[in-house]
Amino acid sequence: MPATPARAAILLFTRPAGEEAAHKSFGRGRRTAAAIAAQLIARASATARQAGVDFVCVESGEQSGRTFGQRLASALAYGFELGYEQLVVIGNDCPQLTPALVRQAVRALHTTDAVLGPALDGGVYLLGLHRRFFEAEAWVALPWQTAALGHALRRCLHRAGAAVATLRPLADVDTAHDFAGLLAWLPAGSFRSRLHTILAAEQPLRPVLRLRPSLLAAAAMLPQRGPPTL
């Protein structure tokens, strides 16, 4: 009989929408940014659940550490402590990620040690890993949230002796420029409609006309006459 593949899970590493909005404005006000973040988190959760394997969501309350690297390492340790031998980690910032691509990453871990989904900005949108190649101390020291992460992560895995598979590059959404690109790329559908509904509800601030005190004083000295009569 063929060997049974090691138990795998999709791990969504995220934080609540309000916290996400505090770090990513998407060029919008806090309330609109939080609504956008909630949609991104919901989409990532749906993508993970549709992949057909176990799904674990690790929000900020279940993470420990001050830095991004420390919090991610704690989330991975938590996932492995649940008994999983393979974890495919995703975030909430890559709406182009599909269930089919997540399944591809899971299948890749049946025959290789690690899998990376490179982001166009130099980071990664997906990270798949066998338990035996997870080294918390080495991972904490990586340049997370920088353009150097992808290469550094690959070097770290190679030094640990891991064979690494690579998925196709995708764009993630971290800035207002990224969000504008997302709106331009999104095909028609419910996700695009929800984002446009959020943007349509955003009330632009109306400029307030304020006169200098000297102009107000001059206006008060003008004769107060009514309109001429016909």
Side-chain angles (χ1 to χ4, degrees):
M1 294 179 61
T4 302
R7 191 173 178 219
I10 312 301
L11 190 153
L12 174 60
F13 180 73
T14 186
R15 53 193 166 195
E19 291 184 24
E20 189 74 357
H23 293 81
K24 299 179 181 180
S25 70
F26 305 120
R28 307 287 171 174
R30 179 67 63 85
R31 181 176 298 179
T32 300
I36 292 170
Q39 290 298 321
L40 293 173
I41 294 168
R43 184 178 177 92
S45 298
T47 297
R49 293 181 186 280
Q50 293 167 17
V53 298
D54 289 0
F55 169 58
V56 179
C57 180
V58 182
E59 288 196 340
S60 54
E62 299 163 314
Q63 304 162 15
S64 61
R66 293 181 296 102
T67 68
F68 182 93
Q70 290 170 342
R71 294 193 300 272
L72 179 59
S74 74
L76 281 161
Y78 171 74
F80 288 129
E81 287 170 2
L82 292 176
Y84 296 105
E85 293 296 321
Q86 304 167 343
L87 291 175
V88 174
V89 185
I90 64 172
N92 57 41
D93 57 356
C94 186
Q96 291 182 338
L97 182 63
T98 64
L101 200 55
V102 175
R103 287 192 290 269
Q104 181 182 339
V106 173
R107 289 194 302 270
L109 287 176
H110 295 168
T111 57
T112 193
D113 303 318
V115 57
L116 297 179
L120 296 179
D121 62 2
V124 295
Y125 64 83
L126 179 147
L127 165 64
L129 187 70
H130 277 266
R131 180 176 190 155
R132 64 183 179 275
F133 292 103
F134 172 57
E135 299 178 5
E137 291 185 5
W139 283 49
V140 166
L142 291 172
W144 298 100
Q145 298 180 297
T146 73
L149 174 65
H151 291 301
L153 186 51
R154 189 178 296 274
R155 287 196 303 269
C156 180
L157 290 167
H158 284 161
R159 283 197 300 268
V164 182
T166 304
L167 304 177
R168 61 188 178 93
L170 294 178
D172 54 14
V173 181
D174 294 316
T175 66
H177 181 268
D178 297 338
F179 182 67
L182 169 66
L183 291 178
W185 165 83
L186 273 178
S190 58
F191 181 59
R192 179 179 179 179
S193 297
R194 287 192 296 269
L195 289 181
H196 280 286
T197 298
I198 291 170
L199 297 178
E202 185 178 31
Q203 296 296 325
L205 295 176
R206 294 183 178 181
V208 178
L209 180 62
R210 298 184 183 278
L211 295 178
R212 294 195 303 271
S214 59
L215 293 178
L216 290 173
M221 297 177 61
L222 294 176
Q224 304 299 311
R225 295 186 301 176
T229 57
L230 296 179

